[in-house]
Every structure is written in structure tokens, then in C-alpha cells.
């Protein structure tokens, strides 16, 4: 009896410490190719809607800021790269699906994860192999020599097992195999960071436009996605894990037929995001963009993005703390005026940095000069900067957030 009490106490102590140990964060993002937001809103695909009940659904956009230096075509590979680098085409340099000269000096999320914490387990499940070999640039010296811990792709190159037919049924079959493998690996191994890419919806869009075939392809992939959602739910029940899932699309489609995309019309730019996040901030409700997903996932995973990478990110997190957004800069003579939206009421400050070079483009270091510290709640700041440069990069930042904007035309 004497021993019994300490033992009971020990059990109690263990259960208390288990309850208090922080959950391991995990993140998985999915791109469903080429589905405009209005189609999702009309169809209300059951799995997407179910997931959004735990977090949210929002309209979002791709294509950069229209008519500015970072406008980017609403084409697939540029769209995927917007997401995985958290930057627009003027930085990542992918303008079409040929991916001729991607600029790897803007790190993708897998490189950020692998370089900041090599123990993180990374995985890609994809109907298009170029996502891993060209966009992530797995194994390439210039892309940081990173190796993913797991990948499932290359099926579209196997024309024996997946003979290419005109109706793209083989793509539907590959999507299904990709989802099934992702669900299996999530269930069994629970990778820390995963990307699932699925293509069939875009093929149906190109072939049939706004049509039953297109809508059915969305409902059919939505049904498949249940497997991944169930795998995540099971992981959370079984292990002390906190999963973030983010599902989005790479572009919309043209309004006339629904067959095309690539331009800057509202419907081609109009995307959407579904997530289960319990930690959404105000920015989620304000039509976020595809480049906001990277900092959101990093916030969830607790990844501290290297400073020189963070300086160049074009997104604002919609998960976690939000201090400011929508940085804009104008210049009149030597006077530069910055404006932003503030979400803080206290006296917290942001630091303002400027540089007149763009050396990171070639993998070199830009020397940013600190020009001041300003209360975030002031919403704007003006300063004089004597320089005969025609180009400036401006970064505002705090320990938890950073934003940047360009002024003038970047040197070639
Ligand atoms: Zn696409």
C-alpha cells in the first residue's frame, strides 16, 4: 500500500505533463489545378466545405498586384512557384510551364524548412514531376542541394502503366494514385511538411470549359480528398500533433468559356483558399493571395525564416500574429512615403530599411540601411533618402513579421 500512493501520483504527474507538452505542428498544402472561386462557391464540394468548418474559406488572388512591377501570368507553373517561394514572377522568374530559368535565389518553402531544421520530414506527392525536379530543384546545386525525405511522382512519365489518352483519363487515375499515396504516408509517417499537387480539374477545364465535365472532375477530386482529411484527423487523434491543411488553386479561368487562363481578367486572377487553421488572423478575410501561404505555413510550423530570405517575401501571413499589411511606397523628389495597414493599438514599433540594389537576384547580399523605427499604429512614415538611384527596395519589419516593396525599375 505504501508504494501505491507514489505510483498513483507518478501516473497523475505523467498525465499532467502529457497534457501540457506542446503538440508537434505539421503542415500539408494541396493545389487543385485551375478552379475559379465562383465554381467552388456554387458547387460547395463537401470535403472542402467540411474542412473549412474547422478554419475557413476565403476568396484569394494570384497574378501579382495588377499593373505593377510584380504582375505575373495566371499560368500553372508560375502559380505553383508563387506559392512555394512566397514571391511573384519578378523574383522567382518562372513565367510559363517551360520553367527555363527559375531564380533559385528566392528560396522555396522546402529549402527554408530543410535549411532551418534538417530534422523536418518533407514530402511531395505530385501528378507533375517538374514540381519537384524544376520548381523545387531537388538535388540541384543552384537550388541549395536539398533532398526531400519522400516523393511520389513520375507517374505521368510511365506511358505503359498510364497510357496517355485524349480524354486525360490517365491524369485522373494518376491524381487518384497520388492522393492515395499521400493519405497512406500521412497516416503512417506524418511528414512535417507536404505538398500534394493534382491536375485533372485543369485538363477538364481546358477541354470542356464551364461544363458538367469540369464540375464533376471537381466533385470527384473532392471525394478523393476525404482520404487525406481522414488521415489528418486520425493523426491528431492518435498522436500529439497539430495539423494545418491549406487547399488552394493556381489560377482561375476566363469568363467567356472557362477553357483558358493566363491573362489578368478578374476571373483568371480569382482563386480561393480552404484551411482548417484555428489560428486565422484578420488578413484571411481580406482576400489574401497565394504568396501569403508560405509565411502562414512557416508561422504554423514555428520556422524562423532566414533574414535575407524573409526580406524578399511578398506575402503576409494569414495564420498567427498580424501586425501590419499592404505596404505601399511612393516617391517625390528625395522624399519617400510609406503607407501600411496597422492591426496593433499599442506602441510596438517596426523598423524601416532601404537599399538601392537588387544583388540577391544573383545570389549576393543587399546592404539594407536602417532609416528609422516607427510605431506600427502610425499607419505611415515619410523620410528623405538622398540617392541618385532610380530603384529602391524597402523592407519594414518586426521580430514576427516583414513586408517589402519596390520603387522604380529594377536593374537588369
Ligand atoms: Zn494550372
Amino acid at each position: 500500500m505504501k508504494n501505491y500512493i507514489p505510483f498513483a501520483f507518478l501516473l497523475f504527474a505523467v498525465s499532467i505533463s502529457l497534457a501540457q507538452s506542446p503538440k508537434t505542428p505539421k503542415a500539408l498544402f494541396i493545389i487543385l489545378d485551375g478552379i475559379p472561386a465562383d465554381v467552388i462557391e456554387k458547387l460547395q464540394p463537401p470535403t472542402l466545405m467540411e474542412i473549412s468548418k474547422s478554419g475557413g474559406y476565403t476568396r484569394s488572388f494570384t497574378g501579382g498586384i495588377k499593373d505593377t512591377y510584380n504582375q505575373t501570368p495566371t499560368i500553372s507553373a508560375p502559380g505553383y512557384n508563387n506559392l512555394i517561394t512566397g514571391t511573384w514572377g519578378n523574383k522567382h522568374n518562372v513565367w510559363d510551364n517551360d520553367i527555363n530559368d527559375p531564380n533559385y535565389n528566392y528560396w522555396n518553402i522546402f529549402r527554408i524548412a530543410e535549411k532551418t531544421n534538417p530534422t523536418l520530414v518533407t514530402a511531395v506527392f505530385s501528378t507533375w514531376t517538374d514540381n519537384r525536379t524544376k520548381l523545387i530543384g531537388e538535388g540541384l546545386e543552384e537550388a541549395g542541394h536539398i533532398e526531400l525525405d519522400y516523393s511520389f511522382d513520375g507517374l505521368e512519365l510511365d506511358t505503359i502503366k498510364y497510357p496517355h489518352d485524349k480524354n486525360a483519363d490517365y491524369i485522373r487515375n494518376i491524381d487518384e494514385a497520388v492522393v492515395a499515396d499521400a493519405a497512406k504516408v500521412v497516416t503512417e509517417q506524418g511528414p512535417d511538411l507536404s505538398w500534394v499537387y493534382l491536375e485533372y480539374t485543369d485538363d477538364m477545364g481546358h477541354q470542356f470549359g464551364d461544363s458538367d465535365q469540369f464540375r464533376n472532375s471537381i466533385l470527384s477530386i473532392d471525394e478523393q480528398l476525404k482520404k487525406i482529411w481522414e488521415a489528418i484527423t486520425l493523426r491528431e487523434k492518435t498522436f500529439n500533433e497539430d495539423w494545418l491543411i491549406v487547399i488552394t488553386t493556381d489560377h482561375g479561368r476566363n469568363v467567356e468559356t472557362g477553357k483558358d487562363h493566363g491573362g489578368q481578367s478578374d476571373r483568371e486572377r480569382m482563386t480561393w483558399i480552404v484551411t482548417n487553421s484555428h489560428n486565422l488572423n484578420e488578413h484571411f478575410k481580406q482576400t489574401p493571395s497565394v504568396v501569403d501561404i508560405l509565411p502562414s505555413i512557416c508561422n504554423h510550423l514555428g520556422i524562423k525564416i532566414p533574414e535575407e530570405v524573409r526580406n524578399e517575401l511578398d506575402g503576409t501571413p494569414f495564420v498567427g500574429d498580424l501586425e501590419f499589411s499592404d505596404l505601399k511606397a511612393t516617391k517625390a523628389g528625395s522624399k519617400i512615403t510609406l503607407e501600411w495597414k496597422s492591426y496593433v493599438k499599442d506602441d510596438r514599433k517596426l523598423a524601416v530599411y532601404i537599399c538601392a540594389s537588387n544583388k540577391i537576384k544573383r545570389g549576393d547580399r543587399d546592404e539594407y540601411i536602417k532609416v528609422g523605427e516607427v510605431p506600427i499604429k502610425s499607419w505611415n512614415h515619410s523620410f528623405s533618402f538622398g540617392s541618385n538611384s532610380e530603384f529602391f527596395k524597402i523592407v519594414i519589419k518586426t521580430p514576427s513579421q516583414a513586408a517589402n516593396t519596390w520603387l522604380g525599375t529594377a536593374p537588369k
Side-chain angles (χ1 to χ4, degrees), residues 212-226:
D212 284 341
Q213 288 92 332
F214 180 49
R215 289 182 284 271
N216 287 339
S217 72
I218 298 165
L219 292 173
S220 135
I221 202 64
D222 180 80
E223 174 70 23
Q224 296 286 316
L225 289 188
K226 227 193 268 177

Side-chain angles (χ1 to χ4, degrees), residues 257-283:
T257 61
K259 287 187 176 178
D260 302 321
H261 59 86
Q264 293 293 325
S265 71
D266 288 350
R267 195 176 188 232
E268 286 164 285
R269 293 172 52 83
M270 182 178 63
T271 58
W272 49 272
I273 298 171
V274 163
T275 176
N276 70 332
S277 174
H278 297 298
N279 199 12
L280 293 172
N281 62 40
E282 227 172 303
H283 185 55

Side-chain angles (χ1 to χ4, degrees), residues 33-34 75-77 80 197 202 206 250-251 261:
D33 205 311
I75 294 174
S76 298
Y80 319 149
Y197 165 73
D202 189 56
H206 281 295
D250 54 335
H251 51 77
H261 59 86

